[in-house]
Amino acid sequence: MPQSLLRYTNILSIVGDLIRVQVPNLTEGNARASYGDLAMIEQNGQVYSLAQIIKIDQEEVSLQVFAGTKGLSTDASVCFLGEPMKATYSPNILGRIFNGAGEPIDGGPGLEQDPKVEIDGPSVNPVRRVLASRMVRTNVPMIDVFNTLVESQKIPIFSVAGEPYNRFLARIAIQAEADVVVFAGMGLIFDDYHFFRTTFEEAGVSSRTVMFTNQASDPTVERLLTPDMALAVAEHFAVNESKKVLVLLTDMTSYADAMKEIGVAMDKIPANRGYMGDLYSQLAKRYEKACDYKGAGSVTILAVTTMPGNDVTHPVPDNTGYITEGQFYLHNGVIDPFGSLSRLKQMIQGKETRDDHAHIMNTMIRFYSDSVNAQQKQAMAFELSSYDLKAIAFGEKFKNRFMVLEARMGLEEALDLCWQTLAECFEPEETLLKQSLLDKYWPGLAEAGESAGATEKSDSDTTAAGA
């Protein structure tokens, strides 16, 4: 009998979005049931939903039902398809919106005939990786100047509920210098889904964007597939078409909560705060998709990770910190310059960027730290020195010009504004910067140097003409 006609009807249990079905002679290899493969569930002679095999125990097979199990009875039948989950990949997916099962939900034409690629594949061979050396410009000064994002980097945005992290992520999608932006939303409320969709359309970036969205009302199972689909598509754009791909994920805590829910339904033994013991491995498997490919493009991952109760020791942000190369802290509507860190920024600062980049970055943060200390002294009614007053004035300018999320400027413009801000608040000798940099970039000194150089050149030309 052809394998596609085999149906298994002995459903043992239905728990949450999971079902267990008994498959006779499975250990003898008679059924095409392999971990990660798809199955089709039928009820009353009609297709009910697709499902994915997540566990095989002797002759019992556990499956995640994509459409959920509401209304499903034990009289249903299961047919194994013998192939893993795949995502549509072709130039036609640019500008399209898919759900967590990979089906278009934007009302556009069907993509059934387009090529498919397997999801949840292995990470890249380290031999095929190249050292990160190129900047991803976002036109956000708190990133470009102070915590530079580098191609192939994986970095989270740590935040809490209520902060504008989705608005910030949308701005990066619009402003970042990337060939393709792949967005994956997990557990989004409809307002957030509608916000991302309309924002991308109004900004005119839909033509380079692919969206995979799992809404809060969608089955939990699809939440686990959403990032895998996004990353599989991003990999193929980078490898096959040498594209510079930026992957935006929100929210990885929602993704981890879905793993916990599925794990409990499978009777797994929970670990820290109810999360499964393989939380680190599951997160790392996704983040390690970030790569700069030898002779091809790159995949860069920027992911929102919310911290329940603003607790950075929560298992999700805690494990994430061991995997990623830094983090951005989004607190009180701004990127916190103290908690944020990009561990790869030194790979490009002063090499791909201007020679003053690293020096001005460190100086600005040092003065802002002094500003915070001076504000604390002021709040406690301590007597302030003239330097404290300068630092407080600098801190206000720093927050208004650089830290607000609405700030938008290119890297060179932001560096020039840093010099201008320093010149408005301090004397050159107070900055402790190298004289060569002061002569080249300090407002007034730089212009004087250029004028002197022009005069010297004019005098030499006049002398040469007289001779």
PDB file of all heavy atoms in Angstrom, residues 177-188:
ATOM      1  N   GLU A 177      20.809  49.967   7.202  1.00  0.00           N
ATOM      2  CA  GLU A 177      21.353  49.703   5.878  1.00  0.00           C
ATOM      3  C   GLU A 177      21.482  48.193   5.686  1.00  0.00           C
ATOM      4  O   GLU A 177      22.487  47.587   6.032  1.00  0.00           O
ATOM      5  CB  GLU A 177      22.705  50.390   5.712  1.00  0.00           C
ATOM      6  CG  GLU A 177      22.615  51.917   5.699  1.00  0.00           C
ATOM      7  CD  GLU A 177      23.955  52.570   5.447  1.00  0.00           C
ATOM      8  OE1 GLU A 177      24.945  51.826   5.261  1.00  0.00           O
ATOM      9  OE2 GLU A 177      24.026  53.795   5.436  1.00  0.00           O
ATOM     10  N   ALA A 178      20.430  47.582   5.161  1.00  0.00           N
ATOM     11  CA  ALA A 178      20.397  46.134   4.923  1.00  0.00           C
ATOM     12  C   ALA A 178      19.688  45.885   3.600  1.00  0.00           C
ATOM     13  O   ALA A 178      18.783  46.635   3.212  1.00  0.00           O
ATOM     14  CB  ALA A 178      19.680  45.416   6.061  1.00  0.00           C
ATOM     15  N   ASP A 179      20.123  44.831   2.911  1.00  0.00           N
ATOM     16  CA  ASP A 179      19.482  44.485   1.642  1.00  0.00           C
ATOM     17  C   ASP A 179      18.100  43.877   1.874  1.00  0.00           C
ATOM     18  O   ASP A 179      17.158  44.141   1.124  1.00  0.00           O
ATOM     19  CB  ASP A 179      20.352  43.495   0.868  1.00  0.00           C
ATOM     20  CG  ASP A 179      21.714  44.074   0.534  1.00  0.00           C
ATOM     21  OD1 ASP A 179      21.793  45.277   0.230  1.00  0.00           O
ATOM     22  OD2 ASP A 179      22.710  43.320   0.580  1.00  0.00           O
ATOM     23  N   VAL A 180      17.995  43.043   2.907  1.00  0.00           N
ATOM     24  CA  VAL A 180      16.735  42.364   3.230  1.00  0.00           C
ATOM     25  C   VAL A 180      16.533  42.431   4.737  1.00  0.00           C
ATOM     26  O   VAL A 180      17.484  42.209   5.506  1.00  0.00           O
ATOM     27  CB  VAL A 180      16.742  40.891   2.758  1.00  0.00           C
ATOM     28  CG1 VAL A 180      15.451  40.191   3.176  1.00  0.00           C
ATOM     29  CG2 VAL A 180      16.922  40.807   1.250  1.00  0.00           C
ATOM     30  N   VAL A 181      15.306  42.728   5.155  1.00  0.00           N
ATOM     31  CA  VAL A 181      14.943  42.694   6.571  1.00  0.00           C
ATOM     32  C   VAL A 181      13.902  41.593   6.753  1.00  0.00           C
ATOM     33  O   VAL A 181      12.859  41.608   6.096  1.00  0.00           O
ATOM     34  CB  VAL A 181      14.371  44.044   7.048  1.00  0.00           C
ATOM     35  CG1 VAL A 181      13.887  43.935   8.493  1.00  0.00           C
ATOM     36  CG2 VAL A 181      15.422  45.140   6.933  1.00  0.00           C
ATOM     37  N   VAL A 182      14.209  40.630   7.615  1.00  0.00           N
ATOM     38  CA  VAL A 182      13.275  39.540   7.915  1.00  0.00           C
ATOM     39  C   VAL A 182      12.761  39.753   9.328  1.00  0.00           C
ATOM     40  O   VAL A 182      13.546  39.739  10.283  1.00  0.00           O
ATOM     41  CB  VAL A 182      13.944  38.164   7.775  1.00  0.00           C
ATOM     42  CG1 VAL A 182      12.924  37.057   8.051  1.00  0.00           C
ATOM     43  CG2 VAL A 182      14.531  37.996   6.375  1.00  0.00           C
ATOM     44  N   PHE A 183      11.462  39.941   9.456  1.00  0.00           N
ATOM     45  CA  PHE A 183      10.850  40.217  10.748  1.00  0.00           C
ATOM     46  C   PHE A 183      10.079  38.998  11.225  1.00  0.00           C
ATOM     47  O   PHE A 183       9.341  38.373  10.455  1.00  0.00           O
ATOM     48  CB  PHE A 183       9.903  41.418  10.629  1.00  0.00           C
ATOM     49  CG  PHE A 183       9.062  41.654  11.855  1.00  0.00           C
ATOM     50  CD1 PHE A 183       9.573  42.355  12.928  1.00  0.00           C
ATOM     51  CD2 PHE A 183       7.767  41.158  11.940  1.00  0.00           C
ATOM     52  CE1 PHE A 183       8.804  42.570  14.067  1.00  0.00           C
ATOM     53  CE2 PHE A 183       6.997  41.368  13.062  1.00  0.00           C
ATOM     54  CZ  PHE A 183       7.516  42.073  14.137  1.00  0.00           C
ATOM     55  N   ALA A 184      10.253  38.657  12.505  1.00  0.00           N
ATOM     56  CA  ALA A 184       9.506  37.551  13.106  1.00  0.00           C
ATOM     57  C   ALA A 184       8.890  38.031  14.407  1.00  0.00           C
ATOM     58  O   ALA A 184       9.614  38.416  15.332  1.00  0.00           O
ATOM     59  CB  ALA A 184      10.411  36.348  13.355  1.00  0.00           C
ATOM     60  N   GLY A 185       7.561  38.038  14.488  1.00  0.00           N
ATOM     61  CA  GLY A 185       6.854  38.441  15.698  1.00  0.00           C
ATOM     62  C   GLY A 185       6.194  37.243  16.348  1.00  0.00           C
ATOM     63  O   GLY A 185       5.481  36.483  15.692  1.00  0.00           O
ATOM     64  N   MET A 186       6.425  37.063  17.636  1.00  0.00           N
ATOM     65  CA  MET A 186       5.902  35.911  18.368  1.00  0.00           C
ATOM     66  C   MET A 186       4.993  36.374  19.493  1.00  0.00           C
ATOM     67  O   MET A 186       5.414  37.136  20.358  1.00  0.00           O
ATOM     68  CB  MET A 186       7.051  35.079  18.933  1.00  0.00           C
ATOM     69  CG  MET A 186       7.871  34.378  17.868  1.00  0.00           C
ATOM     70  SD  MET A 186       9.599  34.148  18.348  1.00  0.00           S
ATOM     71  CE  MET A 186      10.279  35.770  18.025  1.00  0.00           C
ATOM     72  N   GLY A 187       3.728  35.921  19.459  1.00  0.00           N
ATOM     73  CA  GLY A 187       2.783  36.288  20.499  1.00  0.00           C
ATOM     74  C   GLY A 187       2.358  37.747  20.435  1.00  0.00           C
ATOM     75  O   GLY A 187       2.041  38.354  21.459  1.00  0.00           O
ATOM     76  N   LEU A 188       2.341  38.336  19.230  1.00  0.00           N
ATOM     77  CA  LEU A 188       1.971  39.741  19.088  1.00  0.00           C
ATOM     78  C   LEU A 188       0.479  39.938  19.322  1.00  0.00           C
ATOM     79  O   LEU A 188      -0.339  39.131  18.863  1.00  0.00           O
ATOM     80  CB  LEU A 188       2.310  40.251  17.688  1.00  0.00           C
ATOM     81  CG  LEU A 188       3.783  40.299  17.262  1.00  0.00           C
ATOM     82  CD1 LEU A 188       3.885  40.778  15.834  1.00  0.00           C
ATOM     83  CD2 LEU A 188       4.586  41.188  18.189  1.00  0.00           C
TER      84      LEU A 188
END
